[in-house]
Amino acid sequence: MFAEIFGPTGAKHSMLAAMPTAPGHTRRILLYRDSGSDFTERDRLVLQLLRPHLYETYLDARRRQNGVPRLSAREFEVLRLAAQGRSNAAIARELFISVGTVRKHMEHVFDRTGARSRAGAAALVLPHLSVTEPH
């Protein structure tokens, strides 16, 4: 495949990194070099270390593109638990925070999403998260 697609461009070496995605989908990053030496084991290890950061950058771009509000990791977690039907008290117990903190996180979620209910906020935000995304 590489020879057919990139051969005419003069690219001689390539490295492919698969990114997390939902089942049935494919997402990859392809790096190639037109000249010089082939990619080394060190190059592969650097890409492996960068992969989660590249993926987070991709997710952030998708959120902005889709108009999904930017929430903190904790706000995502609180919203995810609220969408599962848990009460503020149950969320507080599970996350080892106060009920007031849960309430404040939900206020931020409502402010940022413009939603007026937990279900509305969850319907706006959660479908845009991939299966493998770490809240």
Side-chain angles (χ1 to χ4, degrees), residues 72-130:
S72 72
R74 186 59 104 179
E75 289 164 350
F76 273 119
E77 182 68 11
V78 168
L79 179 58
R80 185 182 64 77
L81 294 171
Q84 293 173 358
R86 291 191 173 94
S87 68
N88 285 357
I91 294 169
R93 278 192 305 275
E94 186 166 334
L95 299 179
F96 301 102
I97 58 178
S98 73
V99 174
T101 301
V102 172
R103 195 174 307 118
K104 189 52 94 173
H105 283 313
M106 289 305 300
E107 285 177 23
H108 290 160
V109 168
F110 294 147
D111 289 343
R112 291 180 181 147
T113 62
R116 295 184 174 168
S117 68
R118 293 169 180 237
L124 177 67
V125 175
L126 297 180
H128 297 283
L129 300 178
S130 76

